[in-house]
């Protein structure tokens, strides 16, 4: 009996050792619902604060720039600087999340965000505000990327659809509550617009305490960690130079000029060098083998278009309602509620449907189509359009964003192993932010040129000297303008915004085309990809898009 027990024990130990070698790592196992919800409460609060820091400023921005005596180009740069910093740093944060402690990185990002928010509140001119907003963009990009990475590390792609509904709800509340809060703060004399930045600090500190107590991830130490500093610098420099060129071309210098050659040509050289570096290093910031796959590539292209259309168009809504229609900041925030209701309803419903049936493509395609139709509706508005028509167009845009944006991230996350989750999530967030930044820059330049032309024509008909800054409307300080000039400025901004949304609709069509070619796959139920088996026998199985092909 003893002689029979020894071989049996030996075989058992051998099977255990084999199982240990082939089993997924401990941090690849999905967490139970209760600890997920505890950690998710802090993560959602962080995401809420990060998103609110953008939306709380959007409605108050005309008053902020006006009080600091800023111009339309500086108005655009207050937004562009944040998006630029967030865009350039997103893939770096995503890659760092694959290599180091996700919780520690999140705490560092929270600290950076708190300090930069305080600095923005104390800014004395538009130059300082733009610089501090750029630093704030670094923290915002880190928070938005790391929250998605951490959630993906805790929850399987299929179940993630349900939790994406919570994300969509937070996005909607932040986008609705942010403008309302910003408008209320800007309208209260004893607070003032500076509290639009200060208000984020206490909530961010509360979130940090919550995460310190509830977020517990099993971090896997990787002794062979190497950070691609060269690639990160090349990507940041190339993207930054490209966006600087997009912002200034046509206004400060001609399209065909030596400045265009230096900036556009330099950007191409830097990004080309970044691609060459990323293709050779062992641990790239942006894994090209992920980006080159069909579904991730199409999802990234669609996110680029959606981001360009959404950020580029929505950022000017507050300006339209305040300058083009004469509403107060609080009223402008209330008027944006239809778009946010669309985001809330569509993201919650589509998220639960995705988790129920595991199919995501139909919701993305329908969302992209509705987004395009919404922008087409908004392209018809002017300074006298009925509020009902504007609200209907905004609701359609919100529905399209809610159905497509987070689900596109889900498509990319479903195709990569856990070890590449941060880089893949950072890549799609990077391209979405890049699209938004380019959209704000391009559409802001289009609006500025259109407004300048319309104001000059209106003043010429009135016989007003357009060289007088206070009388010509070249600043956003309407309080310092004569009443007749104010009417000209309002009409110019109200009519010019429609052209911005028409361009947004054309861009959104690209997203529709990209989503149509996505592979109709089912989302996987595991956090990590299934390991390959029987390699030596030639029976290797490959997991593609959550399905297993033999």
């Amino acid at each position: 009996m003893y002689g029979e027990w020894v071989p049996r024990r030996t075989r058992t130990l051998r099977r255990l050792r084999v199982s240990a070698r082939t089993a997924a790592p401990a941090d690849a196992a999905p967490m139970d619902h209760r600890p997920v919800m505890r950690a998710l409460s802090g993560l959602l609060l962080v995401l809420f604060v990060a998103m609110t820091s953008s939306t709380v400023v959007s409605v108050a921005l005309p008053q902020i720039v006006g009080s600091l005596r800023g111009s339309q180009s500086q108005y655009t740069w207050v937004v562009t600087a944040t998006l630029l910093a967030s865009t350039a740093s997103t893939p770096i944060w995503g890659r760092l999340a694959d290599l180091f402690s996700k919780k520690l990185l999140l705490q560092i990002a929270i600290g950076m965000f708190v300090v930069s928010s305080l600095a923005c509140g104390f800014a004395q001119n538009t130059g300082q505000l733009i610089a501090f907003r750029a630093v704030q963009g670094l923290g915002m990009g880190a928070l938005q990327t790391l929250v998605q990475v951490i959630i993906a590390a805790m929850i399987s792609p299929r179940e993630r659809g349900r939790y994406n509904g919570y994300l969509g709800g937070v996005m909607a509340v932040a986008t609705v509550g942010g403008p309302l809060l910003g408008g209320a703060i800007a309208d209260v004399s004893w607070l003032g617009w500076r509290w639009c930045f200060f208000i984020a600090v206490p909530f961010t500190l509360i979130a940090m305490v919550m995460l310190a107590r509830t977020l517990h991830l099993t971090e896997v130490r990787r002794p062979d960690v190497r950070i691609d500093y060269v690639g990160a610098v090349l990507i940041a420099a190339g993207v930054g130079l490209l966006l600087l060129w997009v912002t200034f071309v046509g206004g400060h210098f001609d399209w065909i000029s030596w400045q265009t050659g230096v900036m556009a040509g330099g950007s191409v050289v830097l990004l080309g060098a970044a691609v060459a570096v990323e293709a050779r290093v062992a641990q790239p910031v942006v894994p090209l083998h992920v980006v080159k796959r069909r579904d991730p590539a199409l999802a990234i292209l669609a996110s680029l278009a959606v981001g360009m259309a959404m950020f580029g168009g929505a950022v000017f809504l507050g300006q339209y309602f305040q300058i083009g229609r004469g509403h107060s900041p609080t009223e402008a925030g209330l008027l944006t509620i239809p778009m946010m209701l669309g985001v809330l309803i569509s993201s919650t419903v589509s998220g639960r449907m995705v988790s129920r049936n595991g199919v995501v493509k139909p919701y993305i395609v329908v969302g992209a189509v509705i987004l395009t139709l919404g922008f087409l509706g908004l392209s018809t508005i002017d300074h006298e359009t009925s509020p009902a028509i504007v609200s209907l167009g905004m609701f359609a845009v919100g529905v399209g964003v809610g159905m497509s944006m987070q689900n596109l991230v889900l498509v990319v996350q479903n195709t990569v192993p856990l070890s590449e989750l941060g880089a893949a999530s950072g890549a799609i967030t990077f391209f979405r932010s890049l699209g938004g930044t380019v959209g704000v820059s391009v559409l802001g330049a289009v609006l500025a040129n259109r407004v300048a032309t319309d104001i000059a024509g209106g003043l010429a008909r009135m016989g007003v000297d357009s060289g007088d800054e206070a009388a010509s409307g070249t600043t956003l300080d309407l309080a310092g303008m004569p009443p007749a000039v104010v009417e000209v400025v309002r009409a110019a901004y109200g009519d010019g915004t429609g052209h911005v949304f028409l361009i947004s609709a054309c861009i959104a069509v690209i997203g529709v085309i990209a989503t149509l070619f996505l592979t109709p796959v089912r989302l996987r139920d595991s956090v990590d990809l299934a390991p390959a088996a029987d390699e030596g026998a030639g029976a290797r199985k490959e997991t593609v898009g959550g399905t297993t092909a033999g």
Side-chain angles (χ1 to χ4, degrees), residues 356-382:
R356 180 175 301 177
N357 55 38
V359 178
V360 67
K361 178 181 176 179
Y363 303 100
I364 297 176
V365 174
V366 173
V369 171
I370 295 177
L371 177 66
T372 305
L373 294 177
F375 278 126
L376 283 175
L378 290 177
S379 67
T380 63
I381 66 175
D382 55 27

Side-chain angles (χ1 to χ4, degrees), residues 421-468:
L421 189 59
S425 302
I428 190 170
T429 307
F430 164 75
F431 284 104
R432 185 177 65 198
S433 299
L434 176 62
T437 309
V438 173
V440 170
S441 300
V442 172
L443 297 181
V446 170
L447 180 62
N449 292 333
R450 176 62 185 263
V451 165
T453 301
D454 290 350
I455 291 177
L459 294 179
R461 291 189 295 271
M462 295 172 53
V464 177
D465 182 14
S466 59
D468 183 0

Side-chain angles (χ1 to χ4, degrees), residues 298-316:
L298 290 172
I300 286 173
L301 179 60
S303 293
L304 188 70
V306 170
M308 187 178 297
M310 186 199 68
F311 287 108
V315 75
F316 299 106

Side-chain angles (χ1 to χ4, degrees), residues 76-91 134 137 140-141 144 236 238-248 303-313 315-316 405 428-445 507:
T76 301
W77 256 104
V78 172
V79 179
T80 303
T82 307
L83 291 176
L84 172 59
S86 176
T87 300
S89 63
T90 291
M140 290 169 57
Q144 295 184 35
V239 172
L241 191 58
L242 174 64
L243 296 177
L244 287 172
W245 173 71
V246 169
T247 301
F248 292 117
S303 293
L304 188 70
V306 170
M308 187 178 297
M310 186 199 68
F311 287 108
V315 75
F316 299 106
M405 179 165 291
I428 190 170
T429 307
F430 164 75
F431 284 104
R432 185 177 65 198
S433 299
L434 176 62
T437 309
V438 173
V440 170
S441 300
V442 172
L443 297 181
I507 297 171

Side-chain angles (χ1 to χ4, degrees), residues 1-12:
M1 181 179 296
Y2 181 78
E4 293 177 357
W5 178 80
V6 173
R8 187 180 301 120
R9 185 183 66 172
T10 303
R11 289 194 301 270
T12 302

Side-chain angles (χ1 to χ4, degrees), residues 57 60-72 74-75 77-79 119-133 192-197 469 474-479:
V57 176
L61 196 55
Q63 186 181 104
I64 295 172
V65 177
S67 66
L68 295 177
R69 304 292 296 175
S71 63
Q72 173 62 38
Q74 291 174 323
Y75 179 100
W77 256 104
V78 172
V79 179
C120 288
F122 287 113
Q124 299 300 310
N125 53 60
T126 52
Q128 292 180 6
L129 180 61
I130 290 171
F132 296 145
R133 285 282 286 175
W193 61 263
R194 296 184 185 277
W195 275 94
C196 291
F197 301 103
E469 184 185 72
T474 56
T475 72
L476 298 181
D477 185 14
L478 299 183

Side-chain angles (χ1 to χ4, degrees), residues 227-377:
I227 302 177
D228 179 21
Y229 292 107
V230 176
V233 171
L234 288 173
I235 290 174
V239 172
L241 191 58
L242 174 64
L243 296 177
L244 287 172
W245 173 71
V246 169
T247 301
F248 292 117
V249 68
H252 293 75
F253 51 81
D254 295 330
W255 287 87
I256 302 178
S257 61
W258 68 267
Q259 292 95 332
T260 293
V262 171
M263 299 180 75
S267 178
V268 171
V269 171
L270 289 171
L271 293 177
V275 171
V277 170
E278 298 299 276
R280 298 183 60 181
V281 298
Q283 297 176 345
V285 175
V286 178
L288 297 182
H289 66 279
V290 173
V291 176
K292 290 189 296 185
R293 295 173 190 164
R294 174 178 171 175
D295 285 340
L298 290 172
I300 286 173
L301 179 60
S303 293
L304 188 70
V306 170
M308 187 178 297
M310 186 199 68
F311 287 108
V315 75
F316 299 106
L317 277 174
Q319 195 174 25
Y320 168 76
F321 285 124
Q322 292 181 67
I323 299 180
R325 304 302 295 264
H327 294 289
S328 68
T330 302
E331 293 171 342
L334 290 171
L335 289 169
T336 60
I337 286 180
M339 184 171 70
M340 311 321 156
L341 284 178
V343 175
L344 174 61
I345 295 172
S346 63
S347 62
T348 303
V349 173
S350 65
R352 291 192 171 273
M353 294 299 293
V354 167
S355 288
R356 180 175 301 177
N357 55 38
V359 178
V360 67
K361 178 181 176 179
Y363 303 100
I364 297 176
V365 174
V366 173
V369 171
I370 295 177
L371 177 66
T372 305
L373 294 177
F375 278 126
L376 283 175

